[in-house]
Amino acid sequence: MQNSDFDILIAGGGMVGATLGLGLADSGYRVGIIEAQPPGAPGQPSYDERATALSWGSRCILERLGLWTDLAPHAEPIRHIHVSQRGYFGNVRLDHREEGVEALGYVIVNRVLGQVLKTALAAAPVTLMTPARVTGYTGHDDHLGVQISLDQTPVPIRTRLLVGADGTRSVVRNLAGIDIHESDYGQVGIIANLSTELDHRGTAFERFTDEGPVALLPLTPAGDGSPRCALVWVRSAHRLEETLAWDDGHFLRVLQDRFGHRLGRLHRVGARVAYPLTRVRAARDTDTRLVLVGNASHTIHPVAGQGFNLALRDVDTLADLLCRAGREASDPGDAGLLQRYAARRRPDLDRVTGVTDALARLFTTPGFGHVRGAALVALNLCGPLRHGVARVGMGL
């Protein structure tokens, strides 16, 4: 292969693709990343910044990549989790001390995570091409001929492995002809940041309602020092327009009624963003010299906050296999290697996608409120079962 080509080409340079690139920095392979959106200048801290929930297991992955030291000062620990159901008795409380860890997880602003990844990539032996996107590819015995558009200029590239890390509507997956199984929940996720009267004290709240869950995740304080949380409010899709049309006061009053007063009065909601909730699962995660990771492989309901954490476990597994192959100067696109990756990831993917789908449907099925309440009580009283649930949520 020519010097201008790559052993591994990653389509998608967002949080998943960038993390994979860093995981492969010491693999010995020539690694390239193509990203459609060029990085902008870092903005000033904003009340409305989007955030991501990281499990304890994800922290361990980021530590192995040498990223956690820079992320830790900006990561708000989740030390407790409180799960309840609106209108019915019963709740579940998880505590980091019972699990023997510093925190069950963390919440971090995407801007900070992106900046740390960008800085690390700039120092790594990885080539970043942006703005660029894959427009097609052709298969050959020992490589793929990939056509990309780089700053609107057609550029041919050869690679021995193409990784699709380009999101739910993956171009790479579509070009490979990989079918998907997709189901629409008929729901939307409304995201915003808001301030609360009472300090969250490191507690993440999830409250199930007849429409779907309301989650408030602990964030670092607002600029004036007031407590702040990240909101994920799942509502029926047909109520999206009216919900976004409400003024801030009405929005907060309705949300207060759905969530309750565990954090006192809710006030000062920021910009609201909504997205439709669907379940997407690729029929397979591999093809000839091609593999899918993250949302290109699986997009799940946010009910358990596992989307990015599941993707990081994809990255961790694939990087481990490829780094081992790199030490032996093996072909990174070897079919056997890709089959081992798929086999290793399948149990975790099947379990988490199945559980999140079941939770999303179970807690919106009418007529079973008391049964669900009793189940929450039983879970809270049964230490071993509660411990098992905590470990799954922690990515362990």
PDB file of all heavy atoms in Angstrom, residues 35 59 105 115-116 238 300 305 324 367 375:
ATOM      1  N   GLU A  35     -14.067  13.423   9.247  1.00  0.00           N
ATOM      2  CA  GLU A  35     -15.161  14.023  10.006  1.00  0.00           C
ATOM      3  C   GLU A  35     -15.808  15.121   9.170  1.00  0.00           C
ATOM      4  O   GLU A  35     -15.122  15.983   8.610  1.00  0.00           O
ATOM      5  CB  GLU A  35     -14.640  14.588  11.330  1.00  0.00           C
ATOM      6  CG  GLU A  35     -15.596  15.504  12.081  1.00  0.00           C
ATOM      7  CD  GLU A  35     -16.959  14.881  12.342  1.00  0.00           C
ATOM      8  OE1 GLU A  35     -17.032  13.632  12.501  1.00  0.00           O
ATOM      9  OE2 GLU A  35     -17.944  15.634  12.381  1.00  0.00           O
ATOM     10  N   ARG A  59     -15.562   5.541  32.761  1.00  0.00           N
ATOM     11  CA  ARG A  59     -14.430   6.247  33.378  1.00  0.00           C
ATOM     12  C   ARG A  59     -13.176   5.366  33.295  1.00  0.00           C
ATOM     13  O   ARG A  59     -12.084   5.864  32.980  1.00  0.00           O
ATOM     14  CB  ARG A  59     -14.732   6.566  34.836  1.00  0.00           C
ATOM     15  CG  ARG A  59     -13.488   7.061  35.577  1.00  0.00           C
ATOM     16  CD  ARG A  59     -13.611   7.034  37.078  1.00  0.00           C
ATOM     17  NE  ARG A  59     -12.284   7.167  37.684  1.00  0.00           N
ATOM     18  CZ  ARG A  59     -12.038   7.770  38.841  1.00  0.00           C
ATOM     19  NH1 ARG A  59     -13.032   8.283  39.534  1.00  0.00           N
ATOM     20  NH2 ARG A  59     -10.816   7.850  39.311  1.00  0.00           N
ATOM     21  N   GLY A 105     -21.308   6.999  38.481  1.00  0.00           N
ATOM     22  CA  GLY A 105     -21.081   7.540  37.155  1.00  0.00           C
ATOM     23  C   GLY A 105     -20.779   9.017  37.251  1.00  0.00           C
ATOM     24  O   GLY A 105     -20.578   9.558  38.353  1.00  0.00           O
ATOM     25  N   GLN A 115     -13.251  18.893  23.644  1.00  0.00           N
ATOM     26  CA  GLN A 115     -11.988  19.617  23.631  1.00  0.00           C
ATOM     27  C   GLN A 115     -10.833  18.734  24.084  1.00  0.00           C
ATOM     28  O   GLN A 115      -9.736  18.779  23.516  1.00  0.00           O
ATOM     29  CB  GLN A 115     -12.077  20.854  24.521  1.00  0.00           C
ATOM     30  CG  GLN A 115     -10.839  21.736  24.491  1.00  0.00           C
ATOM     31  CD  GLN A 115     -10.527  22.260  23.105  1.00  0.00           C
ATOM     32  OE1 GLN A 115     -11.402  22.765  22.413  1.00  0.00           O
ATOM     33  NE2 GLN A 115      -9.264  22.119  22.682  1.00  0.00           N
ATOM     34  N   VAL A 116     -11.070  17.912  25.103  1.00  0.00           N
ATOM     35  CA  VAL A 116     -10.030  16.990  25.574  1.00  0.00           C
ATOM     36  C   VAL A 116      -9.674  15.984  24.483  1.00  0.00           C
ATOM     37  O   VAL A 116      -8.497  15.688  24.241  1.00  0.00           O
ATOM     38  CB  VAL A 116     -10.480  16.283  26.868  1.00  0.00           C
ATOM     39  CG1 VAL A 116      -9.536  15.145  27.229  1.00  0.00           C
ATOM     40  CG2 VAL A 116     -10.563  17.285  28.020  1.00  0.00           C
ATOM     41  N   HIS A 238     -46.805  13.373  19.802  1.00  0.00           N
ATOM     42  CA  HIS A 238     -47.845  14.308  19.372  1.00  0.00           C
ATOM     43  C   HIS A 238     -47.915  15.553  20.271  1.00  0.00           C
ATOM     44  O   HIS A 238     -48.627  16.508  19.952  1.00  0.00           O
ATOM     45  CB  HIS A 238     -49.211  13.614  19.311  1.00  0.00           C
ATOM     46  CG  HIS A 238     -49.787  13.266  20.654  1.00  0.00           C
ATOM     47  ND1 HIS A 238     -49.523  12.062  21.282  1.00  0.00           N
ATOM     48  CD2 HIS A 238     -50.603  13.959  21.490  1.00  0.00           C
ATOM     49  CE1 HIS A 238     -50.165  12.031  22.441  1.00  0.00           C
ATOM     50  NE2 HIS A 238     -50.820  13.169  22.591  1.00  0.00           N
ATOM     51  N   ILE A 300     -30.288   3.373  20.984  1.00  0.00           N
ATOM     52  CA  ILE A 300     -31.223   2.863  21.981  1.00  0.00           C
ATOM     53  C   ILE A 300     -31.963   4.002  22.667  1.00  0.00           C
ATOM     54  O   ILE A 300     -31.585   5.164  22.562  1.00  0.00           O
ATOM     55  CB  ILE A 300     -30.493   1.990  23.025  1.00  0.00           C
ATOM     56  CG1 ILE A 300     -29.454   2.811  23.800  1.00  0.00           C
ATOM     57  CG2 ILE A 300     -29.852   0.776  22.368  1.00  0.00           C
ATOM     58  CD1 ILE A 300     -28.773   2.035  24.922  1.00  0.00           C
ATOM     59  N   GLY A 305     -29.779   5.778  30.109  1.00  0.00           N
ATOM     60  CA  GLY A 305     -28.575   6.584  29.906  1.00  0.00           C
ATOM     61  C   GLY A 305     -27.368   5.786  29.465  1.00  0.00           C
ATOM     62  O   GLY A 305     -26.237   6.104  29.837  1.00  0.00           O
ATOM     63  N   ARG A 324      -3.742  -5.762  19.563  1.00  0.00           N
ATOM     64  CA  ARG A 324      -3.101  -7.084  19.620  1.00  0.00           C
ATOM     65  C   ARG A 324      -2.665  -7.523  18.226  1.00  0.00           C
ATOM     66  O   ARG A 324      -1.560  -8.052  18.039  1.00  0.00           O
ATOM     67  CB  ARG A 324      -4.062  -8.113  20.214  1.00  0.00           C
ATOM     68  CG  ARG A 324      -4.358  -7.913  21.697  1.00  0.00           C
ATOM     69  CD  ARG A 324      -5.448  -8.871  22.165  1.00  0.00           C
ATOM     70  NE  ARG A 324      -5.825  -8.617  23.539  1.00  0.00           N
ATOM     71  CZ  ARG A 324      -5.299  -9.229  24.582  1.00  0.00           C
ATOM     72  NH1 ARG A 324      -4.344 -10.137  24.398  1.00  0.00           N
ATOM     73  NH2 ARG A 324      -5.698  -8.947  25.812  1.00  0.00           N
ATOM     74  N   GLY A 367     -52.184   0.347  33.235  1.00  0.00           N
ATOM     75  CA  GLY A 367     -52.835  -0.713  33.987  1.00  0.00           C
ATOM     76  C   GLY A 367     -51.948  -1.540  34.887  1.00  0.00           C
ATOM     77  O   GLY A 367     -52.426  -2.442  35.574  1.00  0.00           O
ATOM     78  N   ALA A 375     -42.706  -3.992  42.260  1.00  0.00           N
ATOM     79  CA  ALA A 375     -41.411  -4.451  41.760  1.00  0.00           C
ATOM     80  C   ALA A 375     -40.288  -3.523  42.208  1.00  0.00           C
ATOM     81  O   ALA A 375     -39.197  -3.981  42.565  1.00  0.00           O
ATOM     82  CB  ALA A 375     -41.443  -4.538  40.235  1.00  0.00           C
TER      83      ALA A 375
END
